[in-house]
């Protein structure tokens, strides 16, 4: 019993040090953060820190490993605890960088389109578009089934995952630090370059969308990858200074702009630029 209590305490201490180091690395950078500052923020002694991590590099490596695990859960479609609601962790991004409320972002459909440039903070006007044909009533069930299939498509999964990533970056210091530490600077010995891993995942997703026949004719997959990765990584970097870049509204506007160029008219129907919100386990 005593041994179990000690093990649990050791795990809590180790996790507290990883969280503390991640928050400080993400905010101030790896080079300038000292081990004493990390231990003080975690509320543990320097001796306890050195018991778990012999050096700052070893601690940074642990942060990188934890971030890679959390990133893997995001691209696997799992919901991280911080993404189910609540406020960002202590020392996180500014309040406005947290998960914004849903603002009714567009769901594309064959019977509607968007025109004009909305005022800042406003939603695009919804205008009726001429229908090319009338769908018979007997085809309504098949149409609904087709729309549901599109919402489970590679494109919708890509949209949802991009929203999940930015939500994670707005709430999770470990994930933010993992991206910063793995940016090619060679800080973390076994850490992954999460930017590159995201690029590879986006490329795989868009290649699958092409195989599913969802991409617009004449669109080069590499160009789509460049647009999506460039925008999302740009939002991640800018979000380090202004949390609004990580907001759902910002990413929804990006997808609203890109999707008509990216997807076929049929694939566009039913896609949710705002992403499908993760379900909170009861």
């Amino acid at each position: 019993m005593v041994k179990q209590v000690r093990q649990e305490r050791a795990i809590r201490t180790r996790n507290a040090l990883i969280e503390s180091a991640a928050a400080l690395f993400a905010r101030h950078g790896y080079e300038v953060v000292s081990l004493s500052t990390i231990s003080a923020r975690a509320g543990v002694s320097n001796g306890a820190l050195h018991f778990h991590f012999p050096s700052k590099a070893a601690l940074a490596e642990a942060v990188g490993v934890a971030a890679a695990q959390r990133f893997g859960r995001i691209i696997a479609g799992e919901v991280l605890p911080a993404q189910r609601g609540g406020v960002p962790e202590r020392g996180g991004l500014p309040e406005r960088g947290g998960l914004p409320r849903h603002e009714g972002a567009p769901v594309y459909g064959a019977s509607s389109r968007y025109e004009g440039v909305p005022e800042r903070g406003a939603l695009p006007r919804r205008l009726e578009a001429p229908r090319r044909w009338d769908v018979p009533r007997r085809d309504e069930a098949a149409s609904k089934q087709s729309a549901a299939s599109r919402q489970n498509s590679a494109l919708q999964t890509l949209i949802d995952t991009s929203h999940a990533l930015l939500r994670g970056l707005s709430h999770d210091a470990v994930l933010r630090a993992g991206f910063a530490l793995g940016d090619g600077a060679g800080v973390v010995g076994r850490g992954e370059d999460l930017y590159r891993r995201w690029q590879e995942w986006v490329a795989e997703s868009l290649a699958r969308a092409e195989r599913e026949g969802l991409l617009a004719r004449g669109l080069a997959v590499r160009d789509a990858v460049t647009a999506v990765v460039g925008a999302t990584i740009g939002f991640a970097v800018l979000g380090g200074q202004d949390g609004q870049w990580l907001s759902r509204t910002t990413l929804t506007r990006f997808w609203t702009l890109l999707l008509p160029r990216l997807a076929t008219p049929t694939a566009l129907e039913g896609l949710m630029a705002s992403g499908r919100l993760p379900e909170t386990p009861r």
Side-chain angles (χ1 to χ4, degrees), residues 186-207:
V187 171
V188 183
R190 293 186 302 171
E192 294 187 60
D193 184 344
L194 296 185
Y195 287 115
R196 180 171 294 279
R197 190 172 169 188
W198 172 243
Q199 178 181 349
E200 292 171 350
W201 187 88
V202 170
E204 292 172 0
S205 298
L206 287 169

Side-chain angles (χ1 to χ4, degrees), residues 132-149:
R132 296 182 180 178
W133 57 81
D134 290 326
V135 180
R137 289 183 179 273
R138 64 177 179 272
D139 290 341
E140 287 182 359
S143 178
K144 291 180 179 179
Q145 183 177 4
S146 178
S149 176

Side-chain angles (χ1 to χ4, degrees), residues 139-158:
D139 290 341
E140 287 182 359
S143 178
K144 291 180 179 179
Q145 183 177 4
S146 178
S149 176
R150 284 189 291 273
Q151 289 189 0
N152 292 318
S153 68
L155 281 181
Q156 187 62 60
T157 299
L158 174 58

Side-chain angles (χ1 to χ4, degrees), residues 203-225:
E204 292 172 0
S205 298
L206 287 169
R208 183 160 65 90
E210 183 181 42
R211 292 193 297 271
E212 293 177 2
L214 303 177
L215 300 187
R217 179 178 297 180
L219 178 71
V221 173
R222 64 178 179 276
D223 293 339
V225 172

